[in-house]
Amino acid sequence: MWPRLISRLILVWGNRLYGSRLYNLTLAGPMPDLGITGPPSLRSGQADIAESIVRGVYLLPGGRVDTQGQSPFSVRPPDRLWAESLNGFNWLTHCATADSDKARVIARHCVSDWVDRCGRWEAVAWEPHIIGRRLLSWFTHTHLLIQNTEMVYRSKVIRSMGQQARHLTRVANGAPSGLPRLTAAMGVVLSGLCLSGGAKRIPIGLDLMKRELQGQILPDGVHASRNPALHLDVLLDLVSIEKAFALAGRTSPEFLKESIRRLSLMVQFFLHSDGRLAVFQGGNECWADEIKAVLPQGNGSQIPSSGFAPWAGYQRLQGGETVVLVETGSGEVASKQVPAVVPRLAFEMSAGTDRIIVNCGNTSFFGHKWAEAMWLPSALSTLTMNTQSTGLGSMGVGRFAFRGAVTRRSRPAECLFHQDETGVWTDATRVRGGVVHRRRLFLTSEGDSLRGQDILSSSVQRSGRSVKGEAVPFTIRFHVHPSCRASLAAGGQSVLIAPEHGMGWRFIARCGEVPIAITLEGGVYVGEGAGEHIRRTHQIVVTSKTLSNIQSDTQIIIKWMFQKLERRPFDKVVSASSEQDGCQFSLDFGEPDLKKNKNAQF
């Protein structure tokens, strides 16, 4: 505790100390060997972004900057996130993917220019987690930056790596809690493995890594951010460190092997049938090559079918080739290491190699307005309510980025899970602003029908009285993946969806005597890769025209269904009679005896 507190105080008050010439002298040490070899990078880059970098255009988390021929380290950053991304050098992956002489020259020039401009302490560039990310990037791209270079340049870069590693070893403990501290610890370990004379740093970094991993990996094996993409990002770094141990001729510690094993299994839990991740909590699909690089080889049989991650608050439903992943929220009480997250009951659905229903994903590449918009509940396939006139409060949830402990009171989620020969049920409830939203899903064992119920009611009591009042319009959104073609059918009573490869699907919805409207509206999807691209798509929107007051003794039940068709709906003109018949499917599903399933409640 005391070393961490002292390190944190130094970080806050040590600007003058770190920027002084005297402190810079303390970073001097023996010159490391010039023939260093780091572990290979496991991240996937994009050649088009590398071409932009060659032209002086840097599209990074935080925004897009045209340097107009200047050094990127001399231009004014649009925001802090962009500056952190630039100084972290994760963008070297794009240059390595391009594998061109121009990209290689630009990458080496930027590293050399960084050493000249920022080789001594600087406020952003020398924060512990930024140093850790930079060292991870430089060591995993030594073939791009170091190999076959002239000695003066190579000596300058490797000497700077040694200085950064010495400073990082001193301050890593004081990095912000959560991912920043884990990144700093990994940078310390990798520098000790890859630089000669750094063996003393290895146990220091491993000790900090072990503590952070114990606090950040939940009992079900999911990273505490609950973001599948961020979960994968941590795993990629850990696997690189394990490979660095092998290159150094050392045995990796057991806690590292166990952390990799547990994280790898849960990556498989989050996979859709197309081999990419589900999009939740501000994450993205990520690239299939990255996922393949960290999954155990030859373990396809271990990919889970249906199941749940109780601490992270996710449920996976699978029937036939259809996969449904649902964010139900955690039923556990938040602790210092595990932040409380209000469940939004969003889901995604894929069939075969096609994604059908998705969440919009998130992007930090196009400025904070885009990032904030993609965090709104309207960017998710879930129910939202316009409660401004009722005083009930919004059912949405603001941006959440894992930085460690948070102080938020949250009612534990009530989640049920059941599976038998007919299919898989999930039942989750959230309470927000005086409104109870219960979402029930049933996926048939053949995977040809997903049926849902969104049930609205008032919470029991609030401030000593029942919450009653005005009409509350609701909206349920189902974001269609951009590779699917969608069209209204049956006079606006249903929607036909044609995936790129598989058979079509029909969507219908009913709400008893309450009039509802089904419309098809425009939407966007930024879930591909790491969110560098925006694609136009559609969203199915179910809204109420009039809705009775939500009283304490009433419920409003909206039933909907995605039914698989026997053929692709747009290959031939669908007759009016067949469309009308398609709307007669039963929207009801049975009530499983959840009490008999000991694992149903968690």
Side-chain angles (χ1 to χ4, degrees):
M1 175 180 177
W2 284 109
R4 182 174 299 176
L5 178 61
I6 294 172
S7 298
R8 189 63 185 158
L9 289 173
I10 292 177
L11 281 175
V12 174
W13 301 102
N15 291 10
R16 292 185 179 180
L17 169 64
Y18 293 147
S20 67
R21 292 182 178 272
L22 179 62
Y23 181 79
N24 192 59
L25 291 175
T26 68
L27 299 179
M31 178 67 187
D33 293 340
L34 299 182
I36 66 171
T37 301
S41 174
L42 303 177
R43 288 179 167 78
S44 298
Q46 297 183 67
D48 58 337
I49 295 183
E51 292 174 3
S52 298
I53 291 174
V54 171
R55 297 194 306 268
V57 179
Y58 288 77
L59 179 63
L60 305 174
R64 178 182 182 273
V65 173
D66 188 345
T67 62
Q68 298 181 347
Q70 302 180 59
S71 165
F73 301 101
S74 66
V75 300
R76 183 176 181 178
D79 60 18
R80 184 180 178 86
L81 177 59
W82 190 89
E84 291 183 352
S85 303
L86 179 69
N87 283 277
F89 280 87
N90 240 13
W91 49 269
L92 287 175
T93 301
H94 303 300
C95 296
T97 300
D99 195 23
S100 67
D101 291 338
K102 290 183 179 179
R104 190 176 299 108
V105 169
I106 289 295
R108 292 174 179 177
H109 174 76
C110 286
V111 169
S112 179
D113 188 60
W114 185 92
V115 175
D116 293 337
R117 295 174 181 270
C118 309
R120 292 178 58 181
W121 187 88
E122 192 272 333
V124 174
W126 282 69
E127 288 193 7
H129 62 290
I130 304 300
I131 298 177
R133 176 53 54 200
R134 183 167 54 249
L135 290 177
L136 287 165
S137 300
W138 286 10
F139 283 124
T140 55
H141 289 98
T142 53
H143 66 289
L144 176 72
L145 304 177
I146 303 297
Q147 292 179 6
N148 302 319
T149 57
E150 54 94 15
M151 185 172 293
V152 174
Y153 161 82
R154 189 161 68 250
S155 301
K156 179 171 72 172
V157 173
I158 294 177
R159 181 180 291 108
S160 175
M161 290 169 127
Q163 292 173 337
Q164 294 176 60
R166 294 183 190 99
H167 177 73
L168 180 60
T169 305
R170 299 171 185 174
V171 300
N173 232 340
S177 61
L179 280 177
R181 189 173 297 159
L182 178 59
T183 302
M186 291 189 290
V188 173
V189 173
L190 199 56
S191 70
L193 292 169
C194 297
L195 291 177
S196 61
K200 293 182 179 179
R201 290 192 291 270
I202 297 175
I204 298 174
L206 286 177
D207 181 64
L208 183 56
M209 262 185 65
K210 184 176 182 179
R211 295 203 307 267
E212 291 303 311
L213 288 173
Q214 287 175 343
Q216 293 186 36
I217 299 180
L218 303 179
D220 53 24
V222 179
H223 185 265
S225 66
R226 299 180 172 93
N227 179 335
L230 200 150
H231 175 108
L232 175 64
D233 200 51
V234 172
L235 179 57
L236 287 167
D237 286 334
L238 294 180
V239 173
S240 290
I241 290 177
E242 185 181 46
K243 291 182 180 296
F245 270 98
L247 286 173
R250 292 171 173 262
T251 302
S252 55
E254 287 302 319
F255 82 85
L256 177 59
K257 296 178 182 178
E258 179 63 12
S259 297
I260 291 173
R261 186 192 68 81
R262 295 176 63 203
L263 291 171
S264 298
L265 288 175
M266 296 314 295
V267 165
Q268 296 176 78
F269 175 89
F270 285 119
L271 287 184
H272 274 294
S273 357
D274 63 357
R276 292 188 179 182
L277 297 175
V279 177
F280 290 104
Q281 288 293 328
N284 301 97
E285 294 179 14
C286 298
W287 300 106
D289 290 343
E290 295 179 343
I291 296 169
K292 291 178 182 177
V294 297
L295 291 184
Q297 298 299 316
N299 282 342
S301 60
Q302 292 188 10
I303 296 178
S305 53
S306 299
F308 53 86
W311 282 76
Y314 287 101
Q315 297 190 8
R316 178 187 176 94
L317 287 62
Q318 184 163 352
E321 294 185 339
T322 303
V323 174
V324 176
L325 284 145
V326 193
E327 177 201 15
T328 58
S330 173
E332 303 294 339
V333 179
S335 65
K336 292 183 178 180
Q337 289 79 26
V338 183
V341 177
V342 178
R344 295 177 286 184
L345 308 188
F347 81 97
E348 291 196 331
M349 181 179 77
S350 62
T353 58
D354 295 303
R355 293 195 183 215
I356 311 297
I357 301 300
V358 295
N359 298 309
C360 289
N362 204 347
T363 180
S364 56
F365 288 84
F366 304 103
H368 68 278
K369 290 185 178 180
W370 266 97
E372 291 176 358
M374 293 297 99
W375 271 96
L376 295 175
S378 56
L380 305 173
S381 292
T382 190
L383 180 145
T384 58
M385 297 184 66
N386 181 9
T387 57
Q388 293 179 352
S389 61
T390 67
L392 297 180
S394 171
M395 288 188 71
V397 61
R399 178 172 180 174
F400 168 67
F402 178 72
R403 302 283 287 188
V406 296
T407 55
R408 182 195 301 164
R409 293 183 179 180
S410 175
R411 174 175 172 174
E414 299 175 5
C415 309
L416 298 170
F417 179 90
H418 177 79
Q419 182 175 16
D420 60 25
E421 65 279 359
T422 63
V424 192
W425 285 262
T426 180
D427 190 332
T429 301
R430 64 178 295 193
V431 180
R432 188 73 168 176
V435 176
V436 178
H437 173 207
R438 180 185 180 193
R439 170 163 277 187
R440 303 177 66 227
L441 301 177
F442 170 66
L443 178 66
T444 60
S445 57
E446 296 82 9
D448 58 358
S449 177
L450 173 66
R451 307 179 194 186
Q453 292 181 359
D454 285 300
I455 305 170
L456 298 175
S457 60
S458 71
S459 60
V460 179
Q461 291 288 326
R462 186 179 181 185
S463 302
R465 59 184 177 85
S466 298
V467 178
K468 303 179 180 179
E470 310 151 15
V472 183
F474 68 83
T475 301
I476 310 176
R477 290 180 173 84
F478 305 89
H479 294 273
V480 181
H481 191 270
S483 65
C484 297
R485 182 181 172 189
S487 177
L488 284 173
Q493 298 182 56
S494 67
V495 177
L496 296 178
I497 303 173
E500 186 175 5
H501 303 103
M503 293 297 99
W505 293 78
R506 175 181 279 110
F507 170 83
I508 57 177
R510 299 288 184 269
C511 188
E513 298 180 356
V514 177
I516 62 172
I518 301 176
T519 57
L520 198 61
E521 300 180 3
V524 296
Y525 184 64
V526 292
E528 291 182 337
E532 304 97 333
H533 301 288
I534 301 173
R535 295 184 64 183
R536 293 185 180 275
T537 185
H538 289 95
Q539 55 178 314
I540 302 170
V541 181
V542 179
T543 56
S544 65
K545 294 181 179 179
T546 58
L547 181 62
S548 303
N549 295 346
I550 300 180
Q551 307 289 344
S552 59
D553 56 348
T554 62
Q555 287 185 337
I556 298 165
I557 304 176
I558 309 98
K559 300 178 181 180
W560 48 266
M561 177 173 66
F562 288 90
Q563 180 73 33
K564 192 174 185 179
L565 303 175
E566 295 181 356
R567 56 186 171 82
R568 296 178 62 79
F570 302 120
D571 290 345
K572 297 180 180 180
V573 177
V574 181
S575 66
S577 61
S578 65
E579 290 207 8
Q580 293 294 338
D581 292 340
C583 292
Q584 302 306 315
F585 291 119
S586 173
L587 296 179
D588 295 319
F589 52 89
E591 292 280 350
D593 191 355
L594 296 172
K595 294 182 180 180
K596 290 184 178 180
N597 186 348
K598 296 181 180 179
N599 295 324
Q601 182 95 36
F602 58 83

